[in-house]
Each structure stands twice: as C-alpha cells, then as structure tokens.
Amino acid sequence: MAQLLTTSAERNAAERRLLDRLLGLYTEQQRIYGEVLDISRRQRDLVHDGAPLARIRSLLDAKKTRLATINRLEATEESSKQKWRQGRRDWSAESRTTLHRALESVGMVIEEILACEEENDRELLQQCR
C-alpha cells in the first residue's frame, strides 16, 4: 500500500524527486533523439550522393541502436511516469509547466526526425527510378 504523504514539505520533496527523474529522462531522450536526427541527415546525404547500400545500412543500424536505448530508458522510468500521471493534479503548476516544456522539446526533435525521414524516403524513391 502506498504511503500517504503527511506534510506539504514531504509532498514537495516527493514532487521534486519525481520531476528530477523525469526531466533527466527527457533530457537524455532529447540528446539521443538529436543523435538520431544527425544520423538521419547523414543518411539523406548518402542517399542523395548515391552511396552504396552497405554505408546506408550502417546508419540504419546506428539509428536502431539509439532507438532501442530510448525504449530501455522509457521502460526504466515507466513507474515514474505513472506516478506523475497519478499525482498530476497535486503537483505544482511550475512543475507541470517545466515537465510540459521538456516534453515539447523532445517532441520538436522527433518532428524534425520524422520530416527528415520523409525526405529520405522521397530521395530514395527518386534514386530507384
């Protein structure tokens, strides 16, 4: 059974610990997604230059490795994310805003990756014609 937080100080400390864990997760995810974006851009350049498939495949493997790392990070912090969701109404507006901004930053990098991958697909299709 979950321990009830009896004081405001305890609740604030628990909130801070949880926020710090999640901010650490999202900071690390943003860093790794940034690496994926860089790799996707290199892939686009190689495809555009008509590089051998083996070179492109090595970049795909590098992206796959980083995405697997992100999945492991997500799994590791799943309980923290669940605790955040369950207590969201009780957390301070400042903490909610801080976490929201961190998630937005990660989301922006993911959007860049998706756009780059779409461009990669178009370039590859043109190369195949």
Side-chain angles (χ1 to χ4, degrees), residues 26 29-30 33-34 37 41 100-116:
Y26 298 134
Q29 283 185 343
Q30 185 172 3
Y33 277 126
L37 179 58
R41 288 174 175 156
H100 180 74
R101 286 185 181 139
L103 284 167
E104 280 183 327
S105 294
V106 172
M108 288 171 38
V109 178
I110 291 171
E111 287 179 18
E112 286 184 69
I113 292 168
L114 293 173
C116 188

Side-chain angles (χ1 to χ4, degrees), residues 67-128:
L67 293 173
T69 299
I70 290 171
N71 285 335
R72 282 192 303 279
L73 288 170
E74 280 284 325
T76 300
E77 291 299 335
E78 184 56 41
S79 67
S80 294
K81 289 168 56 177
Q82 186 175 9
K83 286 177 189 174
W84 181 267
R85 285 188 295 270
Q86 290 171 346
R88 183 182 346 215
R89 288 173 301 177
D90 299 326
W91 306 136
S92 70
E94 180 183 354
S95 291
R96 289 191 310 263
T97 299
T98 299
L99 192 65
H100 180 74
R101 286 185 181 139
L103 284 167
E104 280 183 327
S105 294
V106 172
M108 288 171 38
V109 178
I110 291 171
E111 287 179 18
E112 286 184 69
I113 292 168
L114 293 173
C116 188
E117 289 297 321
E118 188 176 311
E119 193 176 332
N120 290 350
D121 290 347
R122 280 194 304 271
E123 184 68 34
L124 187 60
L125 286 173
Q126 286 183 341
Q127 293 287 330
C128 291

Side-chain angles (χ1 to χ4, degrees), residues 9-99:
E10 289 173 331
R11 191 170 36 255
N12 289 345
E15 176 182 328
R16 186 73 233 174
R17 283 190 304 273
L18 187 55
L19 180 63
D20 287 346
R21 287 191 69 85
L22 292 172
L23 289 174
L25 168 67
Y26 298 134
T27 297
E28 185 65 6
Q29 283 185 343
Q30 185 172 3
R31 182 188 68 75
I32 297 169
Y33 277 126
E35 291 176 6
V36 171
L37 179 58
D38 290 341
I39 294 167
S40 292
R41 288 174 175 156
R42 288 196 322 250
Q43 176 188 340
R44 178 190 57 211
D45 294 342
L46 288 177
V47 169
H48 179 74
D49 294 342
L53 189 55
R55 285 185 64 197
I56 295 168
R57 195 172 295 133
S58 70
L59 292 178
L60 294 174
D61 289 340
K63 283 193 296 189
K64 182 179 178 182
T65 298
R66 282 159 179 82
L67 293 173
T69 299
I70 290 171
N71 285 335
R72 282 192 303 279
L73 288 170
E74 280 284 325
T76 300
E77 291 299 335
E78 184 56 41
S79 67
S80 294
K81 289 168 56 177
Q82 186 175 9
K83 286 177 189 174
W84 181 267
R85 285 188 295 270
Q86 290 171 346
R88 183 182 346 215
R89 288 173 301 177
D90 299 326
W91 306 136
S92 70
E94 180 183 354
S95 291
R96 289 191 310 263
T97 299
T98 299
L99 192 65

